[in-house]
Coordinates of all heavy atoms in Angstrom, one line a residue:
M12 N 26.2 -8.2 -18.5 CA 25.2 -9.2 -18.1 C 23.9 -8.4 -17.6 O 24.0 -7.6 -16.7 CB 25.7 -10.1 -17.0 CG 24.7 -11.2 -16.7 SD 25.5 -12.4 -15.5 CE 25.3 -11.5 -14.0
R13 N 22.8 -8.8 -18.1 CA 21.6 -8.2 -17.7 C 21.0 -9.0 -16.5 O 20.9 -10.2 -16.5 CB 20.5 -8.2 -18.8 CG 20.8 -7.1 -19.8 CD 19.7 -7.0 -20.9 NE 18.4 -6.6 -20.2 CZ 17.3 -6.7 -20.8 NH1 17.2 -7.2 -22.0 NH2 16.1 -6.3 -20.2
R14 N 20.5 -8.2 -15.6 CA 19.9 -8.8 -14.4 C 18.5 -8.6 -14.4 O 18.0 -7.6 -14.8 CB 20.5 -8.2 -13.1 CG 21.8 -8.8 -12.7 CD 22.1 -8.4 -11.3 NE 23.5 -8.6 -11.0 CZ 24.1 -8.3 -9.8 NH1 23.3 -7.8 -8.9 NH2 25.3 -8.5 -9.6
R15 N 17.8 -9.6 -13.8 CA 16.3 -9.4 -13.7 C 16.1 -8.3 -12.6 O 16.8 -8.3 -11.6 CB 15.7 -10.7 -13.2 CG 14.3 -11.0 -13.7 CD 13.8 -12.3 -13.3 NE 12.7 -12.2 -12.4 CZ 12.6 -12.7 -11.2 NH1 13.6 -13.3 -10.7 NH2 11.5 -12.5 -10.5
R16 N 15.2 -7.5 -12.9 CA 14.9 -6.4 -11.9 C 14.3 -7.0 -10.6 O 13.4 -7.8 -10.7 CB 13.8 -5.5 -12.5 CG 13.6 -4.2 -11.7 CD 12.7 -3.2 -12.5 NE 12.2 -2.3 -11.5 CZ 11.0 -2.3 -11.0 NH1 10.2 -3.3 -11.2 NH2 10.6 -1.4 -10.1
T17 N 15.0 -6.7 -9.5 CA 14.5 -7.3 -8.3 C 13.3 -6.5 -7.8 O 13.2 -5.3 -7.9 CB 15.6 -7.2 -7.2 OG1 16.0 -5.9 -7.1 CG2 16.8 -8.1 -7.5
S18 N 12.3 -7.3 -7.3 CA 11.1 -6.6 -6.8 C 11.3 -6.4 -5.3 O 10.7 -7.2 -4.5 CB 9.9 -7.3 -7.2 OG 10.0 -8.7 -6.8
K19 N 12.1 -5.4 -4.9 CA 12.2 -5.1 -3.5 C 11.0 -4.4 -3.0 O 10.5 -3.5 -3.6 CB 13.5 -4.2 -3.3 CG 14.0 -4.2 -2.0 CD 15.2 -3.3 -1.9 CE 15.6 -3.0 -0.4 NZ 16.4 -1.8 -0.3
P20 N 10.4 -4.9 -1.9 CA 9.2 -4.2 -1.4 C 9.5 -2.8 -1.0 O 10.6 -2.4 -0.5 CB 8.8 -5.1 -0.2 CG 10.0 -5.8 0.2 CD 10.9 -6.0 -1.0
A21 N 8.5 -2.0 -1.2 CA 8.6 -0.6 -0.8 C 8.7 -0.5 0.7 O 8.2 -1.4 1.5 CB 7.4 0.2 -1.3
K22 N 9.3 0.6 1.2 CA 9.3 0.8 2.7 C 8.0 1.5 3.0 O 7.6 2.5 2.4 CB 10.5 1.7 3.0 CG 10.6 1.9 4.5 CD 11.8 2.9 4.8 CE 11.8 3.1 6.3 NZ 12.7 4.2 6.7
V23 N 7.3 1.0 4.0 CA 6.0 1.5 4.3 C 6.1 2.2 5.7 O 6.5 1.6 6.7 CB 4.9 0.5 4.3 CG1 3.5 1.1 4.7 CG2 4.8 -0.2 3.0
V24 N 5.7 3.5 5.7 CA 5.8 4.3 6.9 C 4.4 4.7 7.3 O 3.6 5.2 6.5 CB 6.7 5.5 6.7 CG1 6.7 6.4 7.9 CG2 8.1 5.1 6.3
Y25 N 4.1 4.5 8.6 CA 2.7 5.0 9.1 C 2.9 6.3 9.8 O 3.6 6.4 10.8 CB 2.2 3.9 10.0 CG 1.8 2.6 9.3 CD1 2.8 1.6 9.0 CD2 0.6 2.4 8.8 CE1 2.5 0.5 8.3 CE2 0.3 1.3 8.0 CZ 1.2 0.3 7.8 OH 0.9 -0.8 7.1
R26 N 2.2 7.3 9.3 CA 2.1 8.6 10.0 C 0.9 9.4 9.6 O 0.4 9.2 8.5 CB 3.4 9.4 9.8 CG 3.6 9.9 8.4 CD 4.8 10.8 8.3 NE 5.0 11.4 7.0 CZ 4.5 12.6 6.7 NH1 3.8 13.3 7.6 NH2 4.7 13.0 5.5
K27 N 0.4 10.2 10.5 CA -0.8 11.0 10.2 C -0.4 12.0 9.1 O 0.6 12.7 9.2 CB -1.2 11.8 11.5 CG -1.8 10.8 12.5 CD -2.3 11.6 13.7 CE -2.8 10.6 14.8 NZ -3.3 11.3 16.0
L28 N -1.3 12.0 8.1 CA -1.0 12.8 6.9 C -2.0 14.0 6.7 O -2.4 14.3 5.6 CB -1.0 11.9 5.6 CG 0.0 10.8 5.5 CD1 -0.3 9.9 4.4 CD2 1.4 11.4 5.4
G29 N -2.4 14.6 7.8 CA -3.4 15.6 7.8 C -3.0 16.8 6.9 O -3.8 17.2 6.0
R30 N -1.8 17.2 7.0 CA -1.3 18.4 6.3 C -1.3 18.2 4.8 O -1.5 19.1 4.0 CB 0.1 18.7 6.8 CG 0.6 20.2 6.7 CD 1.7 20.5 7.7 NE 2.6 19.4 7.8 CZ 3.7 19.2 7.1 NH1 4.0 20.0 6.1 NH2 4.5 18.2 7.3
E31 N -1.0 17.0 4.4 CA -0.9 16.7 2.9 C -2.3 16.4 2.3 O -2.4 16.2 1.1 CB 0.0 15.4 2.7 CG 1.5 15.7 3.0 CD 1.9 15.6 4.5 OE1 1.0 15.3 5.3 OE2 3.0 15.8 4.8
Q32 N -3.3 16.4 3.1 CA -4.7 16.2 2.6 C -4.8 14.9 1.8 O -5.4 14.8 0.8 CB -5.1 17.4 1.7 CG -5.1 18.7 2.3 CD -6.4 19.1 3.0 OE1 -7.5 19.0 2.4 NE2 -6.4 19.4 4.3
A33 N -4.2 13.9 2.3 CA -4.2 12.6 1.6 C -4.1 11.5 2.6 O -3.6 11.7 3.7 CB -3.0 12.4 0.6
W34 N -4.6 10.3 2.3 CA -4.6 9.1 3.2 C -3.3 8.3 2.9 O -2.9 7.5 3.8 CB -5.8 8.2 3.0 CG -7.1 8.9 3.4 CD1 -8.1 9.3 2.6 CD2 -7.4 9.3 4.7 NE1 -9.1 9.8 3.4 CE2 -8.7 9.8 4.7 CE3 -6.8 9.1 6.0 CZ2 -9.4 10.3 5.8 CZ3 -7.5 9.6 7.1 CH2 -8.7 10.2 7.0
G35 N -2.7 8.6 1.8 CA -1.5 7.9 1.5 C -0.6 8.7 0.6 O -1.1 9.7 -0.1
Q36 N 0.6 8.3 0.5 CA 1.6 9.1 -0.3 C 2.7 8.2 -0.8 O 3.2 7.3 0.0 CB 2.2 10.2 0.5 CG 2.8 11.4 -0.2 CD 2.9 12.6 0.7 OE1 1.9 13.4 0.8 NE2 4.0 12.7 1.4
A37 N 3.1 8.3 -2.1 CA 4.2 7.5 -2.6 C 5.3 8.4 -3.1 O 5.1 9.4 -3.8 CB 3.7 6.6 -3.7
T38 N 6.5 8.0 -2.7 CA 7.7 8.8 -3.2 C 8.5 7.8 -4.1 O 9.1 6.9 -3.6 CB 8.6 9.3 -2.0 OG1 7.7 9.9 -1.0 CG2 9.7 10.2 -2.4
I39 N 8.4 8.1 -5.4 CA 8.9 7.2 -6.4 C 10.4 6.9 -6.3 O 10.8 5.8 -6.2 CB 8.5 7.7 -7.8 CG1 7.0 7.5 -7.9 CG2 9.2 6.8 -8.9 CD1 6.3 8.2 -9.1
G40 N 11.2 7.9 -6.3 CA 12.7 7.8 -6.2 C 13.1 7.0 -5.0 O 14.1 6.2 -5.1
E41 N 12.4 7.1 -3.9 CA 12.9 6.5 -2.6 C 12.2 5.2 -2.4 O 12.5 4.5 -1.4 CB 12.6 7.4 -1.5 CG 13.4 8.7 -1.5 CD 13.0 9.7 -0.5 OE1 12.5 9.4 0.6 OE2 13.1 10.9 -0.8
N42 N 11.2 4.8 -3.2 CA 10.4 3.6 -3.0 C 9.8 3.5 -1.6 O 9.9 2.5 -1.0 CB 11.4 2.3 -3.3 CG 10.6 1.1 -3.6 OD1 9.5 1.2 -4.3 ND2 11.1 -0.1 -3.3
V43 N 9.2 4.6 -1.3 CA 8.6 4.8 0.1 C 7.1 5.0 -0.1 O 6.7 5.8 -0.9 CB 9.2 5.9 0.9 CG1 8.4 6.2 2.1 CG2 10.7 5.5 1.3
I44 N 6.3 4.3 0.7 CA 4.9 4.6 0.8 C 4.6 5.1 2.2 O 5.0 4.4 3.2 CB 4.1 3.3 0.5 CG1 4.2 2.9 -0.9 CG2 2.6 3.5 0.9 CD1 3.6 1.5 -1.3
E45 N 3.8 6.2 2.3 CA 3.4 6.6 3.6 C 1.9 6.4 3.7 O 1.1 6.7 2.8 CB 3.7 8.1 3.8 CG 5.2 8.4 4.0 CD 5.5 9.8 3.8 OE1 5.3 10.4 2.7 OE2 6.0 10.4 4.8
L46 N 1.4 5.8 4.9 CA 0.0 5.5 5.1 C -0.4 6.2 6.4 O 0.3 6.2 7.4 CB -0.2 4.0 5.2 CG -0.2 3.2 4.0 CD1 -0.5 1.7 4.3 CD2 -1.2 3.6 2.9
D47 N -1.7 6.7 6.3 CA -2.2 7.3 7.6 C -2.7 6.1 8.4 O -3.5 5.3 8.0 CB -3.4 8.2 7.2 CG -3.7 9.1 8.3 OD1 -4.0 8.6 9.4 OD2 -3.7 10.4 8.2
P48 N -2.2 6.1 9.7 CA -2.6 4.9 10.6 C -4.1 5.0 11.0 O -4.6 4.0 11.5 CB -1.7 5.1 11.7 CG -1.3 6.5 11.7 CD -1.3 7.0 10.3
R49 N -4.8 6.1 10.8 CA -6.2 6.2 11.2 C -7.1 5.5 10.3 O -8.3 5.4 10.6 CB -6.5 7.7 11.4 CG -5.8 8.4 12.5 CD -6.0 9.9 12.4 NE -5.3 10.4 11.3 CZ -5.2 11.7 11.0 NH1 -5.7 12.6 11.9 NH2 -4.6 12.2 9.9
L50 N -6.6 5.0 9.1 CA -7.5 4.3 8.2 C -8.0 3.0 8.7 O -7.2 2.3 9.4 CB -6.8 4.1 6.8 CG -6.5 5.3 5.9 CD1 -5.5 4.9 4.8 CD2 -7.8 5.8 5.3
G51 N -9.2 2.6 8.3 CA -9.7 1.3 8.7 C -8.9 0.2 7.9 O -8.2 0.6 6.9
A52 N -9.1 -1.0 8.2 CA -8.3 -2.1 7.6 C -8.5 -2.2 6.1 O -7.5 -2.3 5.3 CB -8.7 -3.4 8.2
K53 N -9.7 -2.1 5.6 CA -10.0 -2.2 4.2 C -9.4 -1.0 3.4 O -8.8 -1.2 2.4 CB -11.5 -2.4 3.9 CG -11.7 -2.8 2.5 CD -13.2 -3.1 2.2 CE -13.4 -3.5 0.8 NZ -14.9 -3.7 0.5
R54 N -9.7 0.2 3.9 CA -9.2 1.4 3.3 C -7.7 1.4 3.3 O -7.0 1.9 2.3 CB -9.7 2.6 4.0 CG -11.1 3.0 3.6 CD -11.2 3.6 2.2 NE -10.7 5.0 2.1 CZ -10.2 5.6 1.1 NH1 -10.0 4.9 0.0 NH2 -9.8 6.9 1.1
Q55 N -7.1 0.9 4.3 CA -5.6 0.9 4.4 C -5.1 0.0 3.3 O -4.1 0.3 2.6 CB -5.2 0.3 5.8 CG -3.8 0.8 6.2 CD -3.5 0.5 7.6 OE1 -2.9 -0.5 7.9 NE2 -3.9 1.3 8.6
L56 N -5.7 -1.2 3.1 CA -5.3 -2.1 2.0 C -5.5 -1.4 0.6 O -4.6 -1.5 -0.2 CB -6.1 -3.4 2.0 CG -5.8 -4.4 0.9 CD1 -4.4 -4.9 1.0 CD2 -6.8 -5.6 1.0
E57 N -6.6 -0.7 0.5 CA -6.9 0.0 -0.8 C -5.8 1.1 -1.1 O -5.3 1.2 -2.2 CB -8.3 0.6 -0.7 CG -8.8 1.1 -2.1 CD -10.1 1.9 -2.0 OE1 -11.0 1.3 -1.4 OE2 -10.1 3.0 -2.4
V58 N -5.5 1.9 0.0 CA -4.6 2.9 -0.2 C -3.2 2.4 -0.5 O -2.4 2.9 -1.3 CB -4.6 3.9 1.0 CG1 -3.5 5.0 0.8 CG2 -6.0 4.6 1.1
L59 N -2.9 1.3 0.2 CA -1.6 0.6 0.0 C -1.4 0.1 -1.4 O -0.4 0.4 -2.1 CB -1.4 -0.6 1.0 CG -0.1 -1.3 1.0 CD1 1.1 -0.5 1.4 CD2 -0.2 -2.6 1.9
C60 N -2.5 -0.5 -2.0 CA -2.5 -1.0 -3.4 C -2.3 0.2 -4.3 O -1.5 0.2 -5.2 CB -3.8 -1.7 -3.7 SG -3.9 -3.3 -2.9
H61 N -3.0 1.3 -4.0 CA -3.0 2.5 -4.8 C -1.6 3.1 -4.9 O -1.1 3.4 -5.9 CB -4.0 3.5 -4.2 CG -4.1 4.8 -4.9 ND1 -5.1 5.2 -5.7 CD2 -3.3 5.9 -4.9 CE1 -4.9 6.4 -6.2 NE2 -3.8 6.9 -5.7
E62 N -1.0 3.2 -3.7 CA 0.3 3.9 -3.7 C 1.4 3.0 -4.3 O 2.3 3.5 -5.0 CB 0.7 4.2 -2.2 CG -0.3 5.2 -1.5 CD -0.5 6.5 -2.3 OE1 0.3 6.9 -3.1 OE2 -1.6 7.1 -2.0
Q63 N 1.3 1.6 -4.1 CA 2.2 0.7 -4.8 C 2.1 0.8 -6.3 O 3.1 0.8 -7.0 CB 2.0 -0.7 -4.3 CG 3.0 -1.7 -5.0 CD 4.5 -1.4 -4.7 OE1 4.9 -1.3 -3.6 NE2 5.3 -1.2 -5.8
L64 N 0.9 1.0 -6.8 CA 0.7 1.2 -8.2 C 1.4 2.4 -8.8 O 1.9 2.4 -9.8 CB -0.8 1.2 -8.6 CG -1.5 -0.2 -8.5 CD1 -3.0 0.0 -8.4 CD2 -1.1 -1.0 -9.7
H65 N 1.3 3.5 -8.0 CA 2.0 4.7 -8.3 C 3.5 4.4 -8.5 O 4.2 4.9 -9.4 CB 1.8 5.8 -7.3 CG 0.6 6.6 -7.5 ND1 0.3 7.3 -8.7 CD2 -0.4 6.9 -6.7 CE1 -0.8 7.9 -8.6 NE2 -1.3 7.7 -7.4
L66 N 4.1 3.6 -7.5 CA 5.5 3.3 -7.6 C 5.8 2.4 -8.8 O 6.8 2.6 -9.5 CB 6.0 2.6 -6.3 CG 5.9 3.4 -5.0 CD1 6.4 2.6 -3.8 CD2 6.7 4.7 -5.1
S67 N 5.0 1.4 -9.0 CA 5.3 0.4 -10.0 C 5.1 1.0 -11.5 O 5.8 0.6 -12.4 CB 4.4 -0.8 -9.9 OG 4.6 -1.4 -8.6
F68 N 4.1 1.8 -11.6 CA 3.7 2.4 -12.9 C 3.6 3.9 -12.9 O 2.5 4.4 -12.9 CB 2.4 1.7 -13.4 CG 2.4 0.2 -13.4 CD1 1.8 -0.5 -12.5 CD2 3.1 -0.5 -14.5 CE1 1.8 -1.9 -12.5 CE2 3.1 -1.8 -14.5 CZ 2.5 -2.6 -13.5
P69 N 4.7 4.6 -12.8 CA 4.7 6.0 -12.7 C 4.0 6.7 -13.9 O 3.5 7.8 -13.7 CB 6.1 6.4 -12.6 CG 6.9 5.2 -12.4 CD 6.1 4.1 -12.9
E70 N 3.8 6.0 -15.0 CA 3.2 6.5 -16.2 C 1.7 6.5 -16.1 O 1.0 7.1 -16.9 CB 3.7 5.8 -17.4 CG 3.3 4.4 -17.6 CD 4.1 3.3 -16.8 OE1 4.9 3.7 -15.9 OE2 3.9 2.1 -17.0
M71 N 1.2 5.7 -15.2 CA -0.3 5.6 -15.1 C -0.9 6.9 -14.6 O -0.3 7.6 -13.8 CB -0.7 4.5 -14.2 CG -0.8 3.1 -14.9 SD -0.9 1.7 -13.7 CE -2.7 1.9 -13.2
T72 N -2.1 7.2 -15.1 CA -2.8 8.4 -14.6 C -3.4 8.2 -13.3 O -3.6 7.0 -12.9 CB -3.9 8.9 -15.6 OG1 -4.9 7.8 -15.6 CG2 -3.4 9.0 -17.0
E73 N -3.8 9.2 -12.6 CA -4.4 9.1 -11.3 C -5.7 8.3 -11.4 O -6.0 7.4 -10.5 CB -4.7 10.5 -10.7 CG -5.2 10.5 -9.3 CD -4.3 9.9 -8.2 OE1 -3.1 10.0 -8.4 OE2 -4.8 9.3 -7.3
K74 N -6.4 8.5 -12.5 CA -7.7 7.8 -12.7 C -7.5 6.3 -12.8 O -8.2 5.5 -12.3 CB -8.4 8.4 -13.9 CG -9.9 8.1 -14.0 CD -10.4 8.8 -15.2 CE -11.8 8.3 -15.5 NZ -12.4 8.8 -16.8
Q75 N -6.4 5.9 -13.6 CA -6.1 4.5 -13.8 C -5.7 3.9 -12.5 O -6.1 2.7 -12.2 CB -5.0 4.4 -14.9 CG -5.4 4.7 -16.3 CD -4.3 4.8 -17.3 OE1 -3.2 5.3 -16.9 NE2 -4.5 4.2 -18.5
V76 N -4.8 4.6 -11.8 CA -4.3 4.0 -10.5 C -5.4 3.9 -9.5 O -5.5 2.8 -8.8 CB -3.2 5.0 -9.9 CG1 -2.9 4.7 -8.5 CG2 -1.9 4.9 -10.7
D77 N -6.3 4.8 -9.5 CA -7.5 4.8 -8.6 C -8.3 3.5 -8.9 O -8.7 2.8 -8.0 CB -8.3 6.0 -8.8 CG -9.1 6.3 -7.5 OD1 -8.5 6.4 -6.4 OD2 -10.3 6.4 -7.6
R78 N -8.6 3.3 -10.2 CA -9.4 2.1 -10.6 C -8.7 0.8 -10.3 O -9.3 -0.1 -9.6 CB -9.8 2.3 -12.1 CG -10.6 1.1 -12.5 CD -10.9 1.2 -14.0 NE -11.3 -0.1 -14.6 CZ -11.5 -0.3 -15.8 NH1 -11.4 0.7 -16.7 NH2 -11.8 -1.5 -16.3
A79 N -7.5 0.7 -10.7 CA -6.7 -0.5 -10.5 C -6.6 -0.8 -9.0 O -6.7 -2.0 -8.6 CB -5.4 -0.4 -11.2
G80 N -6.3 0.2 -8.2 CA -6.2 0.0 -6.8 C -7.4 -0.5 -6.1 O -7.4 -1.4 -5.3
K81 N -8.6 0.1 -6.5 CA -9.8 -0.3 -5.9 C -10.2 -1.8 -6.3 O -10.7 -2.6 -5.5 CB -10.9 0.6 -6.4 CG -10.9 1.9 -5.6 CD -12.0 2.9 -6.0 CE -11.9 4.1 -5.1 NZ -12.5 5.3 -5.7
E82 N -9.9 -2.1 -7.6 CA -10.2 -3.5 -8.1 C -9.3 -4.5 -7.4 O -9.8 -5.6 -7.0 CB -10.1 -3.5 -9.6 CG -11.2 -2.7 -10.3 CD -11.1 -2.7 -11.8 OE1 -10.2 -3.3 -12.4 OE2 -12.0 -2.2 -12.4
L83 N -8.1 -4.2 -7.3 CA -7.1 -5.1 -6.7 C -7.5 -5.3 -5.2 O -7.6 -6.5 -4.8 CB -5.7 -4.4 -6.8 CG -4.5 -5.2 -6.4 CD1 -4.4 -6.6 -7.1 CD2 -3.2 -4.4 -6.7
C84 N -7.8 -4.2 -4.6 CA -8.2 -4.3 -3.2 C -9.5 -5.2 -3.0 O -9.6 -6.0 -2.1 CB -8.4 -2.9 -2.6 SG -9.0 -3.0 -0.9
A85 N -10.5 -4.9 -3.9 CA -11.8 -5.6 -3.8 C -11.6 -7.1 -4.0 O -12.2 -7.9 -3.2 CB -12.7 -5.1 -4.8
T86 N -10.7 -7.5 -4.9 CA -10.5 -8.9 -5.1 C -9.7 -9.6 -3.9 O -10.1 -10.6 -3.4 CB -9.7 -9.2 -6.4 OG1 -10.4 -8.6 -7.5 CG2 -9.4 -10.7 -6.7
L87 N -8.7 -8.9 -3.5 CA -7.9 -9.4 -2.3 C -8.8 -9.5 -1.1 O -8.8 -10.6 -0.4 CB -6.7 -8.5 -2.0 CG -5.6 -8.5 -3.0 CD1 -4.6 -7.4 -2.6 CD2 -4.9 -9.8 -3.0
W88 N -9.6 -8.5 -0.9 CA -10.5 -8.5 0.3 C -11.6 -9.6 0.2 O -11.8 -10.3 1.2 CB -11.2 -7.1 0.4 CG -11.8 -6.9 1.8 CD1 -13.1 -7.1 2.1 CD2 -11.1 -6.5 3.0 NE1 -13.3 -6.8 3.4 CE2 -12.1 -6.4 4.0 CE3 -9.8 -6.2 3.3 CZ2 -11.8 -6.0 5.3 CZ3 -9.5 -5.8 4.6 CH2 -10.5 -5.8 5.6
S89 N -12.1 -9.8 -1.0 CA -13.1 -10.9 -1.2 C -12.5 -12.2 -1.0 O -13.3 -13.2 -0.7 CB -13.7 -10.8 -2.6 OG -12.8 -11.3 -3.6
Q90 N -11.2 -12.4 -1.2 CA -10.6 -13.7 -0.9 C -10.0 -13.7 0.5 O -9.1 -14.6 0.8 CB -9.4 -13.9 -1.9 CG -10.0 -14.0 -3.4 CD -11.1 -15.1 -3.5 OE1 -10.8 -16.3 -3.1 NE2 -12.3 -14.7 -3.9
A91 N -10.5 -12.8 1.3 CA -10.2 -12.8 2.8 C -8.7 -12.5 3.1 O -8.2 -12.9 4.2 CB -10.6 -14.2 3.4
Y92 N -8.0 -11.8 2.2 CA -6.7 -11.3 2.6 C -6.8 -10.2 3.6 O -7.6 -9.2 3.4 CB -5.9 -10.8 1.4 CG -5.3 -12.0 0.6 CD1 -6.1 -12.7 -0.3 CD2 -4.0 -12.5 0.9 CE1 -5.5 -13.8 -0.9 CE2 -3.5 -13.6 0.3 CZ -4.3 -14.3 -0.6 OH -3.7 -15.4 -1.2
R93 N -6.1 -10.4 4.8 CA -6.2 -9.4 5.9 C -4.8 -9.2 6.4 O -3.9 -10.1 6.2 CB -7.0 -9.9 7.0 CG -8.5 -10.2 6.6 CD -9.3 -8.9 6.3 NE -10.7 -9.2 6.1 CZ -11.2 -9.5 4.9 NH1 -10.5 -9.6 3.9 NH2 -12.5 -9.7 4.8
R94 N -4.6 -8.1 7.1 CA -3.3 -7.8 7.7 C -3.1 -8.6 9.0 O -4.0 -8.6 9.8 CB -3.2 -6.3 8.0 CG -1.9 -6.0 8.5 CD -1.7 -4.5 8.6 NE -0.4 -4.1 8.9 CZ 0.0 -3.2 9.7 NH1 -0.9 -2.4 10.2 NH2 1.3 -2.9 9.9
V95 N -2.0 -9.3 9.1 CA -1.7 -10.0 10.3 C -0.5 -9.4 10.9 O 0.5 -9.2 10.3 CB -1.4 -11.5 10.0 CG1 -0.9 -12.2 11.2 CG2 -2.6 -12.2 9.4
L96 N -0.6 -8.9 12.2 CA 0.5 -8.3 12.8 C 1.3 -9.3 13.6 O 0.9 -10.0 14.5 CB 0.0 -7.2 13.8 CG -0.9 -6.2 13.2 CD1 -1.5 -5.3 14.3 CD2 -0.1 -5.3 12.2
L97 N 2.5 -9.5 13.1 CA 3.4 -10.5 13.6 C 4.2 -10.0 14.8 O 4.9 -9.0 14.7 CB 4.4 -11.0 12.6 CG 3.7 -11.7 11.3 CD1 4.8 -12.0 10.3 CD2 3.0 -12.9 11.7
C98 N 3.9 -10.5 16.0 CA 4.6 -10.1 17.2 C 5.3 -11.4 17.7 O 4.6 -12.4 17.9 CB 3.6 -9.5 18.2 SG 4.3 -9.2 19.7
P99 N 6.6 -11.3 18.0 CA 7.3 -12.5 18.4 C 6.8 -13.1 19.7 O 7.0 -14.3 20.0 CB 8.8 -12.0 18.5 CG 8.7 -10.5 18.6 CD 7.5 -10.1 17.9
N100 N 6.2 -12.3 20.6 CA 5.8 -12.8 21.9 C 4.3 -13.1 22.0 O 3.8 -13.5 23.0 CB 6.1 -11.7 23.0 CG 7.6 -11.4 23.0 OD1 8.4 -12.3 22.9 ND2 7.9 -10.1 23.0
A101 N 3.6 -12.9 20.9 CA 2.2 -13.2 20.9 C 1.8 -14.3 19.9 O 2.1 -14.2 18.8 CB 1.4 -11.9 20.6
K102 N 1.1 -15.3 20.4 CA 0.6 -16.4 19.6 C -0.8 -16.7 19.9 O -1.1 -16.7 21.1 CB 1.5 -17.7 19.7 CG 2.8 -17.6 19.1 CD 3.6 -18.8 19.4 CE 5.1 -18.6 19.0 NZ 5.9 -19.8 19.3
P103 N -1.7 -16.8 19.0 CA -1.6 -16.7 17.6 C -1.4 -15.2 17.2 O -1.7 -14.3 18.0 CB -2.8 -17.3 17.0 CG -3.9 -17.1 18.1 CD -3.1 -17.1 19.4
P104 N -1.0 -15.0 15.9 CA -0.9 -13.6 15.4 C -2.3 -12.9 15.5 O -3.3 -13.5 15.3 CB -0.4 -13.7 14.0 CG -0.5 -15.1 13.6 CD -0.7 -15.9 14.9
R105 N -2.2 -11.6 15.7 CA -3.4 -10.7 15.8 C -3.8 -10.4 14.4 O -3.0 -10.2 13.5 CB -3.2 -9.5 16.6 CG -3.0 -9.7 18.1 CD -3.1 -8.4 18.9 NE -2.1 -7.5 18.6 CZ -2.3 -6.2 18.3 NH1 -3.5 -5.8 18.1 NH2 -1.2 -5.4 18.1
I106 N -5.1 -10.3 14.1 CA -5.6 -9.9 12.8 C -6.3 -8.6 13.0 O -7.2 -8.4 13.8 CB -6.6 -11.0 12.3 CG1 -5.8 -12.3 12.0 CG2 -7.2 -10.5 11.0 CD1 -6.7 -13.5 11.7
S107 N -5.8 -7.6 12.2 CA -6.4 -6.3 12.3 C -7.6 -6.1 11.4 O -7.8 -6.8 10.4 CB -5.4 -5.2 11.9 OG -5.1 -5.2 10.6
Ligands
ZN23 ZN1 -2.9 8.6 -6.3

């Protein structure tokens, strides 16, 4: 029996990536995305899109991923998609 591929979200880890000379990093086999926490909100979204594209389409070139990530981020941002930090003890949620 064939199963539909489940789209399990990548695990996202925030850590300073100075040594790697990158703002983000994707590890394909582990489905892990690392993001530098020093990025601003919009750049963080852009890098997150970029790294997810690397995981979803490992065959894409860096140039293609770069373009798709920027376009995806620009559209999401223009539609006011923002990160909301959900904290059980704080209402309403904080917007970063
Ligand atoms: Zn890349």
Side-chain angles (χ1 to χ4, degrees):
M12 186 176 76
R13 282 187 64 197
R14 278 197 198 178
R15 214 175 116 237
R16 187 172 166 263
T17 55
S18 48
K19 198 180 166 201
K22 184 184 177 190
V23 181
V24 177
Y25 292 85
R26 70 176 183 91
K27 292 183 182 179
L28 297 170
R30 204 157 38 87
E31 290 82 3
Q32 300 272 310
W34 293 114
Q36 199 160 273
T38 309
I39 291 167
E41 296 170 31
N42 204 30
V43 167
I44 292 172
E45 289 166 298
L46 284 183
D47 196 306
R49 293 169 293 185
L50 286 171
K53 191 178 182 184
R54 278 285 284 152
Q55 205 170 95
L56 177 64
E57 189 187 306
V58 175
L59 183 63
C60 290
H61 179 103
E62 301 305 338
Q63 180 59 58
L64 285 162
H65 274 306
L66 294 180
S67 299
F68 305 102
E70 69 279 9
M71 275 170 75
T72 65
E73 185 62 32
K74 202 177 164 185
Q75 289 172 319
V76 166
D77 203 56
R78 179 179 157 186
K81 281 177 176 158
E82 291 179 356
L83 187 53
C84 174
T86 301
L87 289 172
W88 196 261
S89 79
Q90 295 307 301
Y92 278 86
R93 300 292 186 272
R94 183 170 192 219
V95 175
L96 301 173
L97 300 173
C98 172
N100 302 317
K102 287 175 188 175
R105 289 195 296 129
I106 297 173
S107 71

